[in-house]
Amino acid sequence: MNAIFLMLMGLGAMALGYFVYSKFICEKIFKVDPNFRTPAHEMQDGIDYVPTNKYILWGHHFTSVAGAAPIIGPAIAVIWGWVPAFLWVVFGTIFFAGVHDAGAIWASSRNKAKSIGALTGDIVGNRARSIFMIVIFLVLLMVNAVFAVVIAGQLINFPSATIPVWGAIVVALIIGQLIYRKNMGLLLVTIVGVIALYGMIYIGPMLPISLPEMVGPLSDNQSWIILLFVYAAIASLLPVWMLLQPRDYINGIQLFIGLGLLYGAVILASPDVVAPAFNTDVPEGTPSLIPLLFVTIACGAISGFHGLVSSGTTSKQIDKEPDVRFVGYFGAVGEGSLALAAIIAATAGFATLADWQAIYHSFGQGGVSAFIKGGANILQNGIGLDTVLSQTLLTVMVVLFAGTTMDTGLRLQRYIFQEWGSIYNINWMQKAAPATFLAVGSCLLLAFGAGGDGSGGLLIWPLFGTTNQLLAGLTLLVITVMLVKLGRPMWYTLGPLMFLLTMTTLGLLIQLKSFYEKGDWFLFTLDLIILVAAVLVILESSSALTKQIKANKAEAASQNT
């Protein structure tokens, strides 16, 4: 199989999904209304609630939800062969992720931009909300703690990425001022911003910067992680227009250009996929394809974290309700295209099957390193980019995706603490600064309490896939109940959620058995808690769904008599 055909089939199917399926879902099922007054206008405060140009908001949403996960997951999952990973990414993007993301924005926007956790209390019940909020907190804790480790590792391994990664923050601050204070045209600002960012990528290999000698007794990993959380804390408190929006927007443009270069190199280099279509000789210890494929690839097919972003920050910035389709569904398509690029880089970026097998010698191998190495080979062979420059470009892509997700993730974690403060009448917790302190403190406690070098977040990372997919299923449950209450067709969300909850529950049970056999009682206990929480929320949601269906039937019967 030539990688060009893989690329064209994948991108073509996703484009068809956006132009046809998303139009049907948004217009016929969600029934988006251009005259609906969104929370961004109704509750505008210039900090979190800000009506935003849909292209800028798409950039924020896309880069916030993408992160490093749509690279890591697919580039690990190809160990089962490229066909299963390809099919799940493509069909997952079209029928799962796009509907999930757009639906979460729509549902939140229709309910004063409440987070999906708070919305659960209104739609399902307070008991379900309490359990749901715990699952949400765990997902955010994992994402923030682990992505800090991912970013730190890449900055250590590729010091040529330091200048473009941190320079992007300065560029974003300037862009925010030019757009919102100087009212400069978006096109001009975009061109200047992209030139500045790619200029720094070019300069990066000439001026590589490492941190250890600057910070004293701390290790380089510890130093980067602490600096990242200090930055993320400040970013989470600033108005969204000042840093979050412009950083995500300009990074989104830059990253799409990077994807364009990679896909262009695929066309020019025309590499063959050396990985097997179905790998019948997987390394010893590799878990079964079903259900683990569907939790190994989360972001890139469907991810519960997207529901948090959709209902946490994006819904507070939607200018007009029809923008839900472009921002939410097309944001999912953007992430799907990144996951597809990861599959191609990790399967066609190596010269021979033996080279590929040398990377994928055990389950969990590949990931970011396979994407960077394979992608750099394709860029070098296709458009002649120097190896170091190619690796810097792809490393910056990974770090910027992870960084923008971490920015948004910490702000969302702050919202969780503020919502808990509101639910339990703890006044000081409802304030932004104390809530941010708690968010950062919990992440650092996990990072340094469970691992002295700051990598403690990796301890609970094995549970991220199942917990994240559980969250996606529960988000679809809330949307489904809301659709039933409105008398709308529910099968377009009920079908995906039933499939997802089945696979996730099976995945949790398989992991539970694995942790028991290994004697890993900490992860065994945590897995059991998440499994019990899943069952309880499913029961609560099923009860609410059944009651609402009966109520609808009773109302219809009364109207007919």
Side-chain angles (χ1 to χ4, degrees):
M1 168 69 76
N2 189 283
I4 294 177
F5 294 106
L6 203 61
M7 179 190 76
L8 293 178
M9 286 189 296
L11 293 180
M14 290 182 205
L16 191 64
Y18 174 72
F19 287 112
V20 178
Y21 193 62
S22 75
K23 182 179 175 65
F24 166 75
I25 291 292
C26 289
E27 293 183 0
K28 303 300 182 183
I29 307 302
F30 299 149
K31 297 184 179 179
V32 293
D33 181 2
N35 297 316
F36 175 73
R37 184 172 170 82
T38 65
H41 290 281
E42 184 180 354
M43 306 167 69
Q44 185 172 356
D45 62 3
I47 298 175
D48 295 318
Y49 296 84
V50 179
T52 304
N53 178 290
K54 70 177 183 179
Y55 298 104
I56 295 177
L57 186 55
W58 172 85
H60 155 69
H61 183 79
F62 165 59
T63 53
S64 293
V65 299
I71 294 172
I72 297 172
I76 289 175
V78 293
I79 197 167
W80 288 298
W82 64 262
V83 169
F86 174 80
L87 292 177
W88 175 227
V89 163
V90 172
F91 288 105
T93 295
I94 296 169
F95 297 107
F96 287 70
V99 177
H100 171 277
D101 291 17
I105 299 173
W106 167 76
S108 176
S109 180
R110 282 281 169 167
N111 290 273
K112 298 187 180 300
K114 289 183 179 179
S115 74
I116 201 68
L119 194 56
T120 305
D122 298 337
I123 302 296
V124 180
N126 290 332
R127 284 182 299 185
R129 178 191 63 188
S130 299
I131 300 168
F132 206 165
M133 295 278 276
I134 294 172
V135 176
I136 291 171
F137 177 78
L138 285 173
V139 168
L140 289 173
L141 189 65
M142 293 178 195
V143 167
N144 292 332
V146 173
F147 276 19
V149 177
V150 171
I151 297 170
Q154 296 308 307
L155 291 175
I156 293 167
N157 294 332
F158 299 96
S160 58
T162 303
I163 286 179
V165 166
W166 290 96
I169 298 170
V170 178
V171 172
L173 287 167
I174 294 172
I175 286 176
Q177 295 297 319
L178 292 177
I179 292 175
Y180 287 99
R181 294 301 189 209
K182 302 299 182 182
N183 295 317
M184 289 187 63
L186 184 59
L187 179 61
L188 177 61
V189 171
T190 301
I191 293 172
V192 173
V194 169
I195 291 173
L197 288 175
Y198 275 95
M200 286 186 286
I201 290 175
Y202 180 76
I203 293 171
M206 302 177 190
L207 298 171
I209 296 177
S210 299
L211 196 61
E213 57 268 25
M214 303 179 186
V215 190
L218 295 175
S219 71
D220 48 0
N221 192 58
Q222 292 171 324
S223 301
W224 278 126
I225 289 173
I226 290 173
L227 282 173
L228 286 165
F229 275 113
V230 169
Y231 157 73
I234 295 171
S236 75
L237 290 169
L238 292 175
V240 290
W241 65 265
M242 187 176 290
L243 178 58
L244 189 69
Q245 276 186 5
R247 172 172 159 79
D248 290 354
Y249 169 70
I250 200 65
N251 284 347
I253 298 297
Q254 180 199 15
L255 296 167
F256 245 78
I257 292 174
L259 278 177
L261 289 173
L262 185 56
Y263 280 129
V266 169
I267 294 173
L268 294 172
S270 188
D272 288 325
V273 176
V274 298
F278 295 93
N279 191 4
T280 57
D281 188 27
V282 296
E284 185 178 353
T286 301
S288 61
L289 168 67
I290 297 174
L292 268 298
L293 170 70
F294 304 103
V295 296
T296 301
I297 301 179
C299 298
I302 182 172
S303 165
F305 180 74
H306 292 203
L308 303 184
V309 176
S310 297
S311 64
T313 58
T314 305
S315 63
K316 294 178 174 64
Q317 301 168 65
I318 284 285
D319 183 27
K320 298 176 181 178
E321 196 173 51
D323 293 350
V324 162
R325 180 185 171 213
F326 182 80
V327 175
Y329 196 102
F330 192 59
V333 169
E335 187 178 73
S337 68
L338 175 61
L340 178 62
I343 291 172
I344 291 173
T347 59
F350 300 93
T352 65
L353 175 60
D355 292 334
W356 182 84
Q357 290 173 329
I359 297 291
Y360 290 89
H361 56 82
S362 65
F363 183 72
Q365 298 301 310
V368 170
S369 61
F371 171 74
I372 292 176
K373 291 176 183 177
N377 289 336
I378 292 173
L379 285 169
Q380 186 178 29
N381 295 332
I383 57 179
L385 276 186
D386 174 74
T387 301
V388 175
L389 185 59
S390 297
Q391 290 180 342
T392 300
L393 172 65
L394 295 175
T395 301
V396 170
M397 282 179 63
V398 172
V399 172
L400 290 184
F401 271 125
T404 51
T405 299
M406 188 178 168
D407 286 1
T408 303
L410 197 67
R411 186 179 286 260
L412 293 171
Q413 204 167 357
R414 185 248 287 181
Y415 290 161
I416 291 294
F417 278 108
Q418 288 181 290
E419 287 181 358
W420 273 335
S422 178
I423 292 169
Y424 299 109
N425 295 316
I426 305 173
N427 291 331
W428 63 269
M429 196 185 289
Q430 298 177 41
K431 298 177 181 178
T436 299
F437 178 80
L438 290 173
V440 172
S442 60
C443 291
L444 290 176
L445 182 63
L446 174 62
F448 288 92
D453 64 346
S455 301
L458 296 176
L459 181 68
I460 62 173
W461 186 249
L463 285 171
F464 172 75
T466 46
T467 308
N468 188 44
Q469 297 302 69
L470 168 63
L471 183 57
L474 298 179
T475 300
L476 286 169
L477 259 176
V478 172
I479 298 169
T480 301
V481 175
M482 186 171 166
L483 287 172
V484 171
K485 285 188 174 184
L486 292 171
R488 311 266 179 85
M490 64 178 179
W491 298 108
Y492 303 98
T493 54
L494 185 61
L497 89 83
M498 291 176 66
F499 176 85
L500 203 59
L501 288 179
T502 300
M503 293 301 163
T504 302
T505 303
L506 287 174
L508 281 166
L509 290 171
I510 289 172
Q511 285 185 322
L512 196 68
K513 180 175 181 289
S514 174
F515 296 145
Y516 176 80
E517 291 174 346
K518 293 177 182 177
D520 192 335
W521 301 115
F522 174 74
L523 287 181
F524 177 86
T525 304
L526 198 56
D527 189 305
L528 189 60
I529 291 171
I530 294 168
L531 184 60
V532 171
V535 172
L536 290 176
V537 174
I538 290 169
L539 289 175
E540 290 281 342
S541 300
S542 299
S543 175
L545 187 61
T546 302
K547 288 178 182 178
Q548 191 59 53
I549 291 173
K550 289 180 179 178
N552 288 358
K553 289 181 179 179
E555 183 179 353
S558 65
Q559 290 176 351
N560 292 331
T561 57

